[in-house]
């Protein structure tokens, strides 16, 4: 049985509508005949499914609709069309540095973020030492959070969130935090979570990272689904497209032609 099923999901944003401009501006524009509502489709007809233990990498250039799709998958946003069916518990790391208080200490913020993720005080007491060691912030735990660099803040958030053992783990560019050594440690942690049976979705601009970590890939371009299937073939087609060695249509055709020859899910 699928852990996640995404069926024809479309997400529309409305720009210039009443909720954005307020009552006074709405009335004035209506009087002048200047009231306009414009539609922007961030995603159109996206479909895929994941089984237990799959790791999906979502790739695509900026504005492809990757982060918006994650919001629908995680339940933060309802699709305009289509549906998302999930099984089991979900942990989503979408904006690592959000939800912290700059005036609180690193220690206090660790407990605050843990509470936001639903961890009990007992659980945080038992795991705080591991959190701070993994984040490499032992020397900073009593400093105000606002004194940390953006990379240090993200390391703390990743360390806290990676403690869970969810059925579905959603990561938006979180494996790019910190220096090279910490990125390698983060990737090792993700492999550990995957080995525990978690189904994982990773958005990354690193094609190499997706090819190495994931067994499946979803390629989006301007809100449209280009290809879904084995990570290796899709990542290589995508890299050829980035290198301008092939057109989008040629890359899409190549992915479709190779799909029938896959035997290892990659």
């Amino acid at each position: 049985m699928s852990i996640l099923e995404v069926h024809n999901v479309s997400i529309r944003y409305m720009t210039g509508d009443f909720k954005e401009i307020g009552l006074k501006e709405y009335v004035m524009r209506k009087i002048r005949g200047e009231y306009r509502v414009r539609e922007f489709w961030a995603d159109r007809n996206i479909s895929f499914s994941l089984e237990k233990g799959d790791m999906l990498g979502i790739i695509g250039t900026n504005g492809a609709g990757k982060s918006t799709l994650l919001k629908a998958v995680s339940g933060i946003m309802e699709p305009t069309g289509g549906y998302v069916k999930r099984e089991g518990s979900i942990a989503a790391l979408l904006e690592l540095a959000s939800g912290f208080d700059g005036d609180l200490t690193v220690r206090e913020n660790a407990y605050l973020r843990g509470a936001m993720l639903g961890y009990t005080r007992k659980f945080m007491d038992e795991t705080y030492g591991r959190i701070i060691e993994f984040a490499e912030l032992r020397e900073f735990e009593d400093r105000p959070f606002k004194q940390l660099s953006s990379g240090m803040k993200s390391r703390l958030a990743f360390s806290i969130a990676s403690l869970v053992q969810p059925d579905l783990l959603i990561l938006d560019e979180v494996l790019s935090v910190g220096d090279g050594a910490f990125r390698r440690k983060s990737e090792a942690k993700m492999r550990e979570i995957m080995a525990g049976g978690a189904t994982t979705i990773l958005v990354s601009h690193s094609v190499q990272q997706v090819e190495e970590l994931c067994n499946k890939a979803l390629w989006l371009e301007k809100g449209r689904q280009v290809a879904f299937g084995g990570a290796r073939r899709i990542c290589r087609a995508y890299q050829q497209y980035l290198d301008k060695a092939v057109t989008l249509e040629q890359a899409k055709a190549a992915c479709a032609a190779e799909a029938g020859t896959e035997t290892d899910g990659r």
Side-chain angles (χ1 to χ4, degrees):
M1 183 177 66
S2 298
I3 292 292
L4 175 70
E5 183 180 350
V6 175
H7 182 73
N8 285 336
V9 164
S10 297
I11 301 169
R12 178 186 62 192
Y13 290 112
M14 306 290 286
T15 60
D17 67 350
F18 173 78
K19 291 182 290 185
E20 288 186 347
I21 63 179
L23 178 60
K24 181 178 178 181
E25 184 65 19
Y26 167 75
V27 172
M28 294 302 296
R29 291 188 188 184
K30 287 289 284 186
I31 292 174
R32 297 194 299 263
E34 298 174 353
Y35 180 65
R36 300 287 186 275
V37 176
R38 291 180 294 277
E39 294 183 343
F40 170 70
W41 290 91
D43 292 297
R44 293 298 298 266
N45 301 320
I46 309 300
S47 296
F48 64 92
S49 63
L50 298 177
E51 307 297 325
K52 183 178 177 63
D54 277 341
M55 184 160 186
L56 171 71
I58 302 181
I59 55 177
T61 54
N62 290 333
K66 303 183 296 295
S67 295
T68 300
L69 179 62
L70 290 191
K71 291 177 181 178
V73 171
S74 63
I76 294 174
M77 177 183 293
E78 283 294 322
T80 308
Y83 66 83
V84 178
K85 184 178 179 181
R86 318 167 192 86
E87 297 290 341
S89 60
I90 300 175
L93 283 72
L94 303 184
E95 296 177 4
L96 282 181
S98 65
F100 289 114
D101 187 321
D103 293 323
L104 297 180
T105 66
V106 170
R107 184 196 306 271
E108 291 167 336
N109 269 291
Y111 277 83
L112 174 63
R113 173 55 74 93
M116 292 172 63
L117 292 173
Y119 301 166
T120 65
R121 178 59 183 256
K122 181 176 182 294
F123 178 80
M124 289 301 297
D125 287 341
E126 292 172 348
T127 57
Y128 173 76
R130 285 193 287 135
I131 291 171
I132 213 71
E133 289 295 338
F134 188 90
E136 301 171 5
L137 294 174
R138 179 65 71 184
E139 297 178 10
F140 302 89
E141 56 185 327
D142 293 317
R143 290 193 186 184
F145 190 75
K146 60 187 176 185
Q147 292 182 4
L148 300 185
S149 68
S150 58
M152 296 164 83
K153 293 173 182 176
S154 295
R155 274 159 38 194
L156 179 64
F158 178 85
S159 180
I160 297 168
S162 65
L163 287 172
V164 297
Q165 290 292 331
D167 296 299
L168 178 61
L169 179 64
I170 302 173
L171 311 169
D172 189 359
E173 287 292 346
V174 302
L175 296 185
S176 61
V177 303
D179 56 20
F182 190 81
R183 285 197 295 272
R184 288 190 291 273
K185 186 163 69 170
S186 300
E187 290 176 1
K189 184 64 176 178
M190 287 302 96
R191 288 191 176 96
E192 179 186 321
I193 292 175
M194 289 170 59
T199 301
T200 309
I201 300 177
L202 168 68
V203 165
S204 176
H205 283 291
S206 172
V207 181
Q208 180 182 356
Q209 188 178 68
V210 170
E211 186 174 347
E212 290 178 353
L213 287 175
C214 303
N215 67 313
K216 293 181 179 179
L218 172 67
W219 177 2
L220 302 180
E221 186 70 20
K222 296 181 179 179
R224 297 283 185 173
Q225 181 170 327
V226 178
F228 168 70
R232 183 177 294 118
R233 66 179 175 84
I234 291 178
C235 285
R236 292 181 180 179
Y238 177 61
Q239 188 62 59
Q240 286 186 311
Y241 169 70
L242 292 180
D243 295 338
K244 301 188 184 305
V246 296
T247 66
L248 182 63
E249 288 305 315
Q250 287 172 331
K252 186 174 182 178
C255 287
E258 294 179 20
T261 66
E262 291 177 343
T263 59
D264 64 352
R266 298 183 66 84

